[in-house]
């Protein structure tokens, strides 16, 4: 056994929900002058109001201090970031005599460029809808026997049988997988124009060939399951607590649980146990066992989409 030190909020931050563009679901990756932050939509101001009411503070006048010792009124704060997101700290000696001077130098540079931050990435659901595609690396590293593989591949096997029997489903498959090289869209258009086209010898031959090609792809490990790609954040409620000087370790939204790591995501039901596989995936140690726990605080203060997952990094080794 060995002691491991976690970085709870590695490169992440919180962005006030009211200033987040409508096209952002729940997360935005921001960049600007050695600044790189994965910001999650948060009802920051609502948390501050509730905290002030609970602790009998005046929300309109209460002041907190940032990491450089500068005062800020709670009502003015729209973004909470972390030291791992401000990459310029590594070069602070080139920007001033101390941390505060370096910070003011950086702020001046940001203001000179209009305080515009580039949006590099946002979260979105799988192009396959409610399922996600696995790989042979994932299947080969799961502790599975033959019966387990039969169960995991059931969704894909059932879908192949549906394609064979339902021509409407096959038309949707053709359109979803059409490109500039294949003839899938033409087949789909001919079928849509005249449903009797399915009785032609050529259509039956092409359909059989296309489905066989899809089955071959599945046999290489590209099976689909009830899953999706989720963006990870660590203990977001603890960061809210820390911002007002509370003890971050008292975050009760995600707790230590023996044998499993607690998480929160809207993508799955409350209480579900989940298999999480890191991407890119290359070994069994990239597989985690999670327990999805809904909490009143996370639901209230975080506008997460289905493609975000919060994980417990306190007293856990998930990082």
């Amino acid at each position: 056994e060995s002691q491991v030190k976690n970085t709870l909020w590695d490169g992440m931050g919180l962005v006030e929900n009211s200033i987040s563009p409508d096209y952002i679901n729940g997360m935005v990756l921001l960049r600007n002058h050695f600044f790189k932050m994965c910001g999650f939509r948060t009802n920051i101001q609502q948390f501050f109001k509730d905290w002030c009411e609970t602790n009998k503070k005046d929300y309109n006048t209460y002041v907190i201090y940032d990491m450089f010792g500068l005062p800020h009124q709670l009502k003015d704060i729209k973004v909470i970031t972390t030291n791992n997101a401000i990459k310029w700290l590594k070069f602070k000696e080139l920007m001033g005599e101390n941390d505060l001077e370096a910070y003011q130098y950086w702020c001046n540079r940001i203001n000179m460029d209009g305080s515009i931050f580039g949006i590099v990435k946002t979260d979105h659901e799988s192009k396959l809808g409610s399922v996600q595609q696995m790989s042979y690396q994932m299947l080969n590293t799961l502790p599975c026997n033959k019966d387990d593989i039969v169960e995991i591949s059931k969704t894909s096997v059932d879908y192949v049988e549906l394609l064979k029997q339902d021509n409407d489903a096959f038309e949707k498959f053709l359109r979803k997988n059409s490109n500039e090289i294949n003839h899938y869209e033409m087949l789909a258009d001919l079928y849509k124009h005249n449903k009797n086209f399915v009785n032609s010898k050529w259509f039956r031959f092409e359909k059989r060939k296309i489905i066989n090609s899809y089955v071959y792809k599945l046999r290489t490990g590209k099976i689909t399951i009830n899953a999706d790609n989720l963006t990870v954040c660590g203990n977001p409620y603890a960061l809210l607590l820390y911002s007002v000087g509370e003890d971050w370790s008292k975050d009760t939204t995600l707790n230590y649980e023996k044998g499993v790591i607690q998480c929160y995501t809207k993508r799955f039901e409350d209480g579900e146990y989940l298999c999480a596989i890191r991407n890119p995936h290359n070994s069994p140690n990239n597989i985690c066992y999670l327990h999805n726990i809904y909490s009143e605080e996370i639901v209230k203060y975080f506008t997460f989409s289905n493609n975000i997952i919060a994980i417990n990094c306190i007293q856990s080794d998930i990082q």
Side-chain angles (χ1 to χ4, degrees), residues 94 259 282:
L94 303 175
N282 57 16

Side-chain angles (χ1 to χ4, degrees), residues 193-298:
H193 177 71
N194 183 357
K195 296 297 177 73
N196 290 325
F197 176 57
V198 300
N199 299 318
S200 68
K201 183 178 180 180
W202 185 63
F203 178 86
R204 293 199 301 271
F205 175 77
E206 290 299 316
K207 180 179 179 179
R208 184 167 61 252
K209 186 170 68 173
I210 290 170
I211 292 178
N212 285 342
S213 175
Y214 179 63
V215 170
Y216 177 79
K217 179 182 177 182
L218 295 178
R219 285 174 174 167
T220 65
K222 303 291 186 180
I223 63 175
T224 55
I225 57 171
N226 177 19
D228 210 340
N229 290 323
L230 308 181
T231 301
V232 177
C233 66
N235 297 87
Y237 186 70
L239 184 52
L240 283 178
L241 294 175
Y242 184 72
S243 70
V244 290
E246 297 282 358
D247 186 353
W248 54 266
S249 65
K250 297 296 190 292
D251 177 9
T252 57
T253 60
L254 298 170
N255 297 299
Y256 169 78
E257 186 175 342
K258 188 175 182 180
V260 67
I261 296 172
Q262 289 192 1
C263 68
Y264 166 77
T265 176
K266 291 166 56 179
R267 174 63 176 78
F268 296 97
E269 296 298 323
D270 183 20
E272 279 195 270
Y273 288 88
L274 309 175
C275 173
I277 301 177
R278 183 181 180 272
N279 186 22
H281 177 69
N282 57 16
S283 66
N285 67 285
N286 275 344
I287 302 172
C288 296
Y289 186 38
L290 304 180
H291 188 194
N292 197 29
I293 301 293
Y294 280 32
S295 77
E296 181 181 337
E297 292 85 357
I298 291 185

Side-chain angles (χ1 to χ4, degrees), residues 177-188:
N177 294 278
S178 66
N179 55 47
E180 295 180 355
I181 299 174
N182 63 37
H183 61 311
Y184 289 7
E185 188 173 4
M186 181 187 72
L187 280 172

Side-chain angles (χ1 to χ4, degrees), residues 40-53:
F40 297 90
R41 294 185 69 155
T42 308
N43 296 317
I44 295 175
Q45 286 300 312
Q46 185 60 56
F47 170 79
F48 287 157
K49 289 176 182 177
D50 294 344
W51 182 83
C52 286
E53 183 178 347

Side-chain angles (χ1 to χ4, degrees), residues 123-137:
D123 56 302
H124 55 85
E125 65 179 10
S126 166
K127 63 180 180 180
L128 301 177
S130 61
V131 295
Q132 185 56 265
Q133 189 172 267
M134 297 189 75
S135 66
Y136 75 89
Q137 292 98 331

